[in-house]
Amino acid sequence: MAGHIQDRWYKTETDTNGKTVRVKTDRHGTGMRYRARYVGPDGTEKSKSFPDGQKRIAEKWLSGIEADMSRGQYIDPRAGRLTVRQHAERWLASLTMDPGTYVSTEQRIRLHVLPHLGSRSLDSLRPIHIREWLRKLEDGGVAAAYQRVIFANLNAMLAAAVDDRLIPYNPCRSSSVRAPKPEARRIVPWSRERVLAVRSALPERYRAMVDLAGGCGMRQGEVLGLAVEDVDFVEGVVHVVRQVKLIAGRQVFALPKGGKSRTVPLPESVARALEAHTAQYPPAAVRLPWRSVDGAPATAALFFRNAEGRPVIRTVFNEKAWRPALDTAGVPRGRENGMHALRHFYASVLLDAGESIKALSEYLGHHDPGFTLRTYTHLMPSSEKRTREAVNRAFEGGADADDGPTTAQAA
């Protein structure tokens, strides 16, 4: 055993006869009797004290420490004394991510994790504490979907503590801890009539935003960041290469969500709407920081600006233009009727026309076609409907029908 157990109640001395004898120390009968001592991987001595009668327990503890070191699984018992707040500060400072994502992550940790768990030491965290914390979030009225995001942030933070050998395991991953599950919501796409009604109710300078979101599947920030050089009217495509986003209340240019650019078809109806908008509200160069509030300035000739000629602020647009338009069109306010509803409308139109999930996923800028399928599978035409239509075309379409045995054999 590389370490050793020190008995602080007794010491060995050599008597006048040259024999080694045990004698009581000044500490005899007071305080912890045994001290298990060892040298850690960093070369410093570490120890833990045990009371009288627990020498075997001390030896067992020391054996466990040495076994962990030999397996490369050693964790300094003092490392977990960091509080959750102290670890959160170090973890946040070490993150390398999109500045906007960082601000959101820091805000969730600061507002929803630290007030409840911040003063607790890392090594004292148990699954019961995570379960109680989740219950407080629920009782506090935090939406289930947002609870899930907050939980994912805490889970990642504690996983880093495990990787850094601060704690032996992550209590968020205990079998008794269940990640919040948002209520399953089936997306009900807007009708064409609703889309047109909301479009008509918007201020004229913003109406073409509906055409781009509903006709090209673009996100709100991507529409606000669309520039003249991104649209190819000849080839009939839109290059989605930037968005306008808010970081700590300040506007910046950034790549689309997920850092992924894409190219989507430009329908003729959307092109005409955009050309009409351009004739009435000519695009103008706008200068914003790139990616972060202190990033290098970038310039783009944006299609959409506010009445003062400045970039449209998403939150102001939603409050002053979008929600009043919903009221005028008789559409209830709410998260499900935000501008994102136009992307759902776009998806429903393409799926009803028989477009593939893979193509739709690419047009929407999703990271995974599986996500697109899970989100919109209920909007896909049923196999029974497709079967009836295919057979009807084969029997009723005459010699020019696209479906039938001749076509199948040729394929």
Side-chain angles (χ1 to χ4, degrees), residues 61-75 165:
W61 178 85
L62 188 56
S63 296
I65 289 290
E66 292 175 335
D68 286 344
M69 283 197 287
S70 66
R71 292 193 297 262
Q73 299 175 350
Y74 169 76
I75 295 176
R165 301 293 177 85

Side-chain angles (χ1 to χ4, degrees), residues 39-53:
V39 176
D42 60 357
T44 61
E45 184 180 81
K46 306 177 191 300
S47 64
K48 183 177 180 180
S49 298
F50 296 84
D52 183 35

